[in-house]
Amino acid sequence: GQQVMQIPQYQHVQEGEDFTTYCNSSTTLSNIQWYKQRPGGHPVFLIQLVKSGEVKKQKRLTFQFGEAKKNSSLHITATQTTDVGTYFCAGRIDSWGKFQFGAGTQVVVTP
Amino acid sequence: NAGVTQTPKFRVLKTGQSMTLLCAQDMNHEYMYWYRQDPGMGLRLIHYSVGEGTTAKGEVPDGYNVSRLKKQNFLLGLESAAPSQTSVYFCASSSGTAGDTEAFFGQGTRLTVV
């Protein structure tokens, strides 16, 4: 079964609001990546987190890796219409380096 | 620099037909992957390759075969298409130690099996 779970599956946000999407794994992850997929597009890499408790920021996006390396979050502040899309986390689950993707959080932004 | 290119972009197959999806990358990446994307399921790994001449099974390999005869190309074959294989297929590539770097995705192939 799927080891990497993402919640929520769907997020409706008013422009200007903040929101957070969460990624949880049943096993400890070596590292985690986040991708964004615009409607009709392909996944595009956003960031990779490796260290326990790591926090990285990209403008209005804040990424966090949990202390136990079993969960991660993406927080977006002051949402804009350009943030529309599906955000996927992908956790590295084995020694080779295969990443397992979560089901994604689809974000819809209303002006 | 084209990155990762998938051919074709769209295809409709009848049940039982066969086809090959082609993925080409020009970044000299060692690692290549084939994923399928279905609503609510995220991206599921079908097969992957860690270098020329090598392939391995992912999460959902049944009904698919792959080949990596050249480093830059990764082919995905469907021998006898089934409606359950209707999906969007993405190829990706990455470099670095054990695939621990970002994956670059192609534009996707939308396949419908009727």
Side-chain angles (χ1 to χ4, degrees):
Chain A
Q2 192 156 18
Q3 295 174 267
V4 176
M5 308 295 290
Q6 259 185 279
I7 52 171
Q9 200 168 3
Y10 182 83
Q11 180 82 50
H12 189 181
V13 189
Q14 202 79 22
E15 193 172 14
E17 289 182 340
D18 302 351
F19 78 90
T20 304
T21 175
Y22 300 90
C23 184
N24 299 304
S25 172
S26 55
T27 59
T28 302
L29 301 170
S30 299
N31 50 36
I32 195 159
Q33 296 178 342
W34 285 88
Y35 291 79
K36 178 183 178 181
Q37 183 177 23
R38 293 184 186 274
H42 60 279
V44 175
F45 176 83
L46 293 176
I47 210 158
Q48 177 169 277
L49 304 171
V50 179
K51 300 176 184 176
S52 169
E54 189 171 14
V55 178
K56 287 187 176 180
K57 292 190 177 183
Q58 286 181 351
K59 297 183 180 178
R60 295 178 294 102
L61 279 61
T62 301
F63 303 85
Q64 199 160 10
F65 202 8
E67 293 291 339
K69 300 183 78 172
K70 286 188 172 184
N71 53 70
S72 181
S73 64
L74 160 58
H75 180 78
I76 300 182
T77 58
T79 305
Q80 299 176 358
T81 54
T82 53
D83 295 323
V84 164
T86 301
Y87 294 82
F88 293 98
C89 64
R92 181 181 162 189
I93 57 171
D94 66 15
S95 57
W96 169 76
K98 289 201 306 287
F99 284 84
Q100 183 167 61
F101 280 78
T105 294
Q106 184 181 352
V107 176
V108 175
V109 181
T110 52
Chain B
N1 192 343
V4 180
T5 304
Q6 290 183 230
T7 311
K9 290 185 170 49
F10 303 92
R11 185 74 187 266
V12 178
L13 282 181
K14 292 184 179 179
T15 298
Q17 285 185 322
S18 63
M19 77 164 293
T20 301
L21 281 67
L22 171 64
C23 177
Q25 53 95 2
D26 62 2
M27 296 173 282
N28 201 35
H29 285 169
E30 289 291 337
Y31 302 88
M32 296 188 75
Y33 322 77
W34 275 106
Y35 291 91
R36 61 177 288 173
Q37 184 174 34
D38 303 291
M41 302 289 288
L43 291 149
R44 290 183 293 168
L45 184 63
I46 304 171
H47 286 280
Y48 64 97
S49 168
V50 301
E52 182 179 312
T54 71
T55 63
K57 294 180 180 180
E59 300 172 63
V60 288
D62 294 343
Y64 305 95
N65 56 74
V66 288
S67 64
R68 183 106 181 263
L69 299 179
K70 293 183 179 181
K71 186 177 183 179
Q72 63 267 35
N73 295 336
F74 195 28
L75 279 62
L76 177 71
L78 284 72
E79 294 178 342
S80 179
S84 61
Q85 293 178 304
T86 293
S87 187
V88 179
Y89 292 85
F90 285 101
C91 174
S93 70
S94 68
S95 67
T97 304
D100 261 357
T101 56
E102 67 179 283
F104 292 83
F105 283 81
Q107 298 295 322
T109 296
R110 187 172 295 275
L111 174 66
T112 303
V113 182
V114 297

